[in-house]
Amino acid sequence: MELNIIDLTKKFGKFTAVNHLNVTMTNGVYGLLGVNGAGKTTLMRMICTLLGPTSGTITCDGKDIMSMGENYRKKLGYLPQDFGFYPEFTVQDYLLYIAAIKGLRPVVAKKRVNDLISGVGLSKAANKKMRKLSGGMKRRAGIAQAMLNDPAVLVLDEPTAGLDPNERIRFRNLISELAENRLVLLSTHIVSDIEYIANEILLMREGELVHRGTAAQLIASMKESVWKCYAQKKDVSHFMKNYKISNMKSEPDGVELRIISNERPAMDAVPEEANLEDVFLYYFGEKVSDTNGAI
């Protein structure tokens, strides 16, 4: 399976949501990382043929997905950030309903639904109404509906939004299990969601792909270093104005700062090993002075 995105652009009036984007993806987990408004959802909707591009193309194994029609959609599973469901349906009824919409034969659908309910950990909630599910359970039901047709391409838009830490960990583990022999594209602005499961991470900003690579490669791409130093509380505003602050921790005698800078920010600053959160701040963060004083 190969998805090839070629010079893809999407405009809404004068606003450009995706700007001449080029990327090729094969089987594996791809994390699409960027701040809200970066164009991630627009890109995913085009990959799912819910939006047509203004210009450029997306091909699946060499064929334009817009011209493939149903033959492409049969290969596709999609979990939008907000997916619709009938609140009075049980989990099992909901999945059987979606299976019917997707054209699965009743005998096949029943077995597939039972297998997926077990696979996503909803066996005890199979007869529970959708409206009574927790946020995490609803997202698991959403994954199950996306997997009904055993898709070769699985697209997940902010799948862990609103979940507690335990549910997010469970969800990441589930995605890792489902990723075998398929292409999974997962968008998020939460670094930990993709740090451990993505084979490759795509950084998207203002509709453009600014960098791609493994977590280690992205860390190595930083042209600035990470420092740790201590400051008096009265001096914190100075550091925030002049540097990108990755982390701030209050201590009894001051504040511990984690700073991204190409120069030593203070005499007592010591170098620290960079992580993916530092990468996110390096590419997407701003100093207070870059925002005209707004935090």
Side-chain angles (χ1 to χ4, degrees):
M1 171 60 62
E2 180 180 272
L3 273 186
N4 196 12
I5 298 170
I6 308 164
D7 202 29
L8 192 69
T9 298
K10 181 63 181 179
K11 294 185 178 182
F12 298 96
K14 294 183 179 180
F15 175 70
T16 301
V18 175
N19 189 18
H20 298 286
L21 193 143
N22 292 277
V23 64
T24 298
M25 295 178 284
T26 56
N27 285 356
V29 180
Y30 292 82
L32 186 59
L33 185 62
V35 297
N36 291 330
K40 304 187 301 295
T41 293
T42 299
L43 172 61
M44 291 187 140
R45 287 178 177 169
M46 286 192 284
I47 289 173
C48 294
T49 70
L50 298 173
L51 285 175
T54 303
S55 62
T57 57
I58 304 173
T59 63
C60 176
D61 291 336
K63 298 178 181 178
D64 189 320
I65 63 171
M66 300 304 288
S67 63
M68 288 176 69
E70 185 180 351
N71 288 331
Y72 173 68
R73 285 187 284 276
K74 285 180 178 178
K75 301 175 183 284
L76 184 69
Y78 178 44
L79 175 62
Q81 192 168 352
D82 297 305
F83 70 98
F85 55 84
Y86 291 102
E88 296 303 317
F89 276 23
T90 65
V91 173
Q92 188 170 47
D93 288 342
Y94 165 70
L95 292 175
L96 287 170
Y97 171 71
I98 298 298
I101 291 175
K102 292 190 175 187
L104 274 69
R105 291 185 293 113
V107 175
V108 175
K110 188 172 182 179
K111 183 179 186 309
R112 185 71 178 152
V113 165
N114 288 337
D115 289 344
L116 283 169
I117 285 176
S118 174
V120 300
L122 287 177
S123 295
K124 293 182 179 179
N127 296 311
K128 205 170 188 179
K129 291 185 177 181
M130 291 290 293
R131 65 180 173 84
K132 292 186 176 181
L133 299 183
S134 67
M137 286 182 172
K138 286 176 183 174
R139 301 309 283 180
R140 280 187 263 165
I143 273 281
Q145 67 79 26
M147 290 294 298
L148 279 167
N149 57 331
D150 194 20
V153 179
L154 182 59
V155 179
L156 309 171
D157 190 3
E158 299 280 359
T160 62
L163 301 189
D164 64 42
N166 285 332
E167 281 288 2
R168 281 171 49 202
I169 292 169
R170 188 180 293 116
F171 205 89
R172 292 200 302 264
N173 292 340
L174 175 60
I175 291 167
S176 293
E177 292 174 14
L178 297 174
E180 189 174 355
N181 300 320
R182 74 182 84 242
L183 191 164
V184 179
L185 179 61
L186 184 161
S187 86
T188 186
H189 60 279
I190 303 171
V191 172
S192 59
D193 281 354
I194 59 173
E195 186 169 8
Y196 300 107
I197 64 171
N199 302 106
E200 189 166 3
I201 300 168
L202 313 175
L203 302 183
M204 193 171 181
R205 181 178 63 202
E206 296 179 352
E208 298 180 354
L209 194 65
V210 295
H211 215 295
R212 64 180 293 182
T214 64
Q217 288 169 337
L218 293 177
I219 290 170
S221 74
M222 290 176 56
K223 295 181 174 64
E224 296 183 356
S225 301
V226 180
W227 306 86
K228 182 174 75 173
C229 68
Y230 294 88
Q232 298 297 314
K233 291 184 178 179
K234 63 181 178 64
D235 297 325
V236 169
S237 60
H238 161 77
F239 286 98
M240 291 185 66
K241 182 178 179 180
N242 292 282
Y243 300 100
K244 292 178 179 179
I245 308 297
S246 175
N247 194 43
M248 187 183 307
K249 180 182 177 183
S250 292
E251 300 283 355
D253 56 347
V255 180
E256 179 186 288
L257 300 174
R258 186 178 177 90
I259 297 174
I260 297 175
S261 172
N262 57 11
E263 58 187 22
R264 189 183 295 270
M267 291 294 294
D268 65 337
V270 294
E272 289 278 293
E273 187 174 342
N275 57 40
L276 201 57
E277 287 192 350
D278 297 320
V279 171
F280 188 92
L281 185 65
Y282 174 74
Y283 281 100
F284 304 124
E286 296 176 324
K287 303 188 289 284
V288 172
S289 58
D290 294 332
T291 60
N292 295 320
I295 297 177

